[in-house]
């Protein structure tokens, strides 16, 4: 049965929410777009006049498509070259979804998206639907084919796992920029000590190059090791310029609601370094340099005003 204009409009009105759910479930903007498009095809093939609550129907279809994707993704990530990190989204990206509460903002943070990789597909789905979108457990149970009590138990277990992985620290955009500027000043000073003072004792640094760009597959751990790595990373050299094809401009930005550094060369985003801020300093650096995971960031960068770069690297 062909969709009416009204049916298409109804789907398009749900698209932003569906994309935001899919991104949190999959950690990939491109895979989220594919899942939403497949949901539309299912909507197109359905007898929509018999769908009592379109929003619930669409959410159920999308969530189950994402669960199938997560199951196959786990197998693919076993053969992924190096560390797998989520695809970063820059400030203003509609796929970030709702950000009215601390829970919603945290659910899309780079730190939490990384932690969600440790959960089972069902745990991840329950956590996202409840924490980020405030779905009642009755509806989550219907979506996933669970009992309401099972949904509640899964949620508490998932939330405990996420809480154990990090301490919540919220900062505003101005504070985020100051942190980035202070970090860059220390990283380009040529000395390790200023960097160590900015880091937590158990700080880590890791990167995702997807086998296409050199990146540290095993995390640097501890303030001294991370500081030494960062000092070397920002030290200019001909080899680095040759590797990336020039001297990228580095900007202070926000990615997934947290402070970030964005490296741009000839209008193309070639790296997004997300900083996780703890109560005692910078707790983690997660650097996404896989070009496949930076295409959306490049499009967003081209469409936004980003001011002047803080430095020209390498």
């Amino acid at each position: 049965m062909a969709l009416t204009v009204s049916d298409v409009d109804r789907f398009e009105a749900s698209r932003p929410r569906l994309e935001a759910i899919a991104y949190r479930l999959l950690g990939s903007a491109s895979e989220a777009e594919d899942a939403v498009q497949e949901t539309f095809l299912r909507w197109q093939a359905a007898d929509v006049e018999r769908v009592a609550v379109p929003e619930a129907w669409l959410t159920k279809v999308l969530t189950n498509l994402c669960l199938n994707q997560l199951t196959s993704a786990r197998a693919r990530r076993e053969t992924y070259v190096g560390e797998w990190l989520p695809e970063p989204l820059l400030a203003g990206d509609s796929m970030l979804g709702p950000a009215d509460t601390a829970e919603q903002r945290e659910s899309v943070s780079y730190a939490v998206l990384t932690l969600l990789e440790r959960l089972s597909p069902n745990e991840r789905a329950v956590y996202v639907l409840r924490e980020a979108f405030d779905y009642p457990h009755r509806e989550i149970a219907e979506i996933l084919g669970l009992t309401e009590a099972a949904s509640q138990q899964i949620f508490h277990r998932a939330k405990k796992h996420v809480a154990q992985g990090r301490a919540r620290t919220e900062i505003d955009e101005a504070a985020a920029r100051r942190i980035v500027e202070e970090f860059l000043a220390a990283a380009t000073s040529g000395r390790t000590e200023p960097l160590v003072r900015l880091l937590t004792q158990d700080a880590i640094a890791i990167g995702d190059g997807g086998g296409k760009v050199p990146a540290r597959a095993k995390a640097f751990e501890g303030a001294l090791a991370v500081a030494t790595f960062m000092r070397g990373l920002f030290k200019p050299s001909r080899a680095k310029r040759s590797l990336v094809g020039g001297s990228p401009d580095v900007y202070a930005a926000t990615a997934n609601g947290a402070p970030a550094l964005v490296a741009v060369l000839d209008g193309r985003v070639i790296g997004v370094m997300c900083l996780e801020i703890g109560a005692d300093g910078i707790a983690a650096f997660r650097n996404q340099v896989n070009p496949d995971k930076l295409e959306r960031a490049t499009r967003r960068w081209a469409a936004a005003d980003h001011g002047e770069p803080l430095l020209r690297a390498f």
Side-chain angles (χ1 to χ4, degrees), residues 67-180:
L67 288 176
N68 292 337
Q69 182 77 0
L70 282 172
T71 301
S72 62
R74 288 188 169 219
R76 291 199 309 275
R77 286 170 194 170
E78 289 179 1
T79 59
Y80 191 83
V81 178
E83 180 75 7
W84 188 96
L85 291 175
E87 183 175 344
L89 297 181
L90 300 181
D93 194 310
S94 61
M95 199 173 279
L96 289 169
D100 298 324
T101 67
E103 290 77 15
Q104 289 173 337
R105 291 189 292 274
E106 185 179 51
S107 72
V108 79
S109 71
Y110 215 62
V112 166
L113 287 176
T114 303
L115 289 170
L116 291 181
E117 287 295 306
R118 304 178 187 178
L119 303 183
S120 70
N122 262 12
E123 286 175 334
R124 187 164 183 164
V126 171
Y127 180 87
V128 166
L129 292 173
R130 180 63 183 163
E131 190 80 344
F133 295 89
D134 202 29
Y135 276 81
H137 284 290
R138 174 181 51 80
E139 292 186 22
I140 296 173
E142 171 64 25
I143 289 170
L144 298 177
L146 306 168
T147 65
E148 190 171 343
S151 176
Q152 292 171 338
Q153 291 172 355
I154 291 171
F155 174 70
H156 290 307
R157 186 167 64 242
K159 192 168 184 177
K160 183 178 179 181
H161 287 326
V162 172
Q164 288 174 340
R166 72 185 293 266
R168 178 186 294 172
T169 302
E170 284 205 272
I171 56 175
D172 59 31
E173 190 170 341
R177 184 177 179 87
R178 288 196 299 271
I179 290 168
V180 169

Side-chain angles (χ1 to χ4, degrees), residues 145-267:
L146 306 168
T147 65
E148 190 171 343
S151 176
Q152 292 171 338
Q153 291 172 355
I154 291 171
F155 174 70
H156 290 307
R157 186 167 64 242
K159 192 168 184 177
K160 183 178 179 181
H161 287 326
V162 172
Q164 288 174 340
R166 72 185 293 266
R168 178 186 294 172
T169 302
E170 284 205 272
I171 56 175
D172 59 31
E173 190 170 341
R177 184 177 179 87
R178 288 196 299 271
I179 290 168
V180 169
E181 290 175 345
E182 191 174 0
F183 162 70
L184 273 181
T188 56
S189 69
R191 297 162 52 226
T192 303
E193 294 79 6
L195 275 167
V196 171
R197 289 196 293 269
L198 294 177
L199 309 178
T200 62
Q201 290 186 348
D202 59 350
I204 65 167
I206 197 161
D208 176 355
K212 300 184 177 184
V213 175
R216 174 75 175 187
K218 188 176 184 300
F220 289 96
E221 299 180 355
L224 182 58
V226 171
T228 302
F229 165 68
M230 288 296 171
R231 185 190 65 187
L233 180 64
F234 285 93
K235 184 178 181 180
S237 76
R238 181 177 298 175
K240 291 174 188 172
R241 290 191 294 273
S242 176
L243 179 66
V244 303
S247 297
D249 290 325
V250 179
Y251 296 80
T254 302
N256 294 74
L261 294 171
V262 177
V264 181
L265 183 65
D266 298 330

